[in-house]
Amino acid sequence: MELTGKHRAFADAVLAGKSNKDAAIAAGYSGKTAGPAGSRLAKHPAVAAFIEKYSKKDAPPPPPPPAEPERPKFDIAAALTFSDPMLFLKAAMNDPAAAPKLRVEAAKALLPFVHTRKGEGGKKEQQQADAEKAASRFARPAPPKLAAAGGKKVN
């Protein structure tokens, strides 16, 4: 199993001689939760194997952490060409060059415009929907079409 960024940062800090709590803080965990997080990370199988492998005296130094893949930046100049906010949000959501977090936030912002929540309508809308539903249940059927004896339809 491969280490995530925080796991690798924790393992590197432990190999540098820090305690579990200090290593968790160095990996980016909050000071309030660093103690339990450090204990949990030290027991993680992949982290423990990494620390054990590179903590031996004759072990080679650990390889450098993998570099983050560089993503193209969001083009704000192109975004300013939109006059409709919904079109802008759609473009941001569908832009593969945008950061995934930005794309998710754009989708969340668009959601109320595309789908309504169940029960989100007001009392008037609900009464109108109930009236239409009841009216269709008891509506009179259409009169039968009349046809002449010769087969021609008569209105």
Side-chain angles (χ1 to χ4, degrees), residues 4-63:
T4 64
K6 281 190 170 185
H7 289 166
R8 176 62 192 263
F10 174 81
D12 287 341
V14 168
L15 289 173
K18 293 187 177 184
S19 68
N20 287 348
K21 180 178 180 179
D22 293 336
I25 292 171
Y29 289 89
S30 165
K32 293 179 180 179
T33 62
S39 176
R40 185 179 66 247
L41 287 171
K43 295 175 187 173
H44 190 279
V47 175
F50 185 87
I51 292 171
E52 183 179 335
K53 179 178 179 181
Y54 292 108
S55 64
K56 297 176 185 171
K57 289 184 180 181
D58 58 342

Side-chain angles (χ1 to χ4, degrees), residues 13-155:
V14 168
L15 289 173
K18 293 187 177 184
S19 68
N20 287 348
K21 180 178 180 179
D22 293 336
I25 292 171
Y29 289 89
S30 165
K32 293 179 180 179
T33 62
S39 176
R40 185 179 66 247
L41 287 171
K43 295 175 187 173
H44 190 279
V47 175
F50 185 87
I51 292 171
E52 183 179 335
K53 179 178 179 181
Y54 292 108
S55 64
K56 297 176 185 171
K57 289 184 180 181
D58 58 342
E68 289 282 323
E70 190 158 331
R71 293 190 187 109
K73 301 295 180 200
F74 183 73
D75 187 12
I76 192 70
L80 294 176
T81 61
F82 293 99
S83 60
D84 184 14
M86 281 183 57
L87 292 177
F88 168 72
L89 288 172
K90 283 182 184 177
M93 180 181 72
N94 295 324
D95 185 9
K101 186 173 183 176
L102 176 69
R103 295 177 71 185
V104 169
E105 291 299 321
K108 283 182 190 177
L110 267 176
L111 197 61
F113 296 105
V114 180
H115 301 285
T116 58
R117 290 183 182 170
K118 187 171 182 134
E120 192 172 78
K123 288 182 180 180
K124 290 182 181 179
E125 289 85 4
Q126 185 62 39
Q127 287 175 348
Q128 180 66 26
D130 291 344
E132 289 173 3
K133 191 175 183 181
S136 65
R137 187 180 312 160
F138 301 111
R140 287 189 293 164
K145 298 206 180 214
L146 301 175
K152 293 183 181 179
K153 292 184 179 179
V154 176
N155 287 343

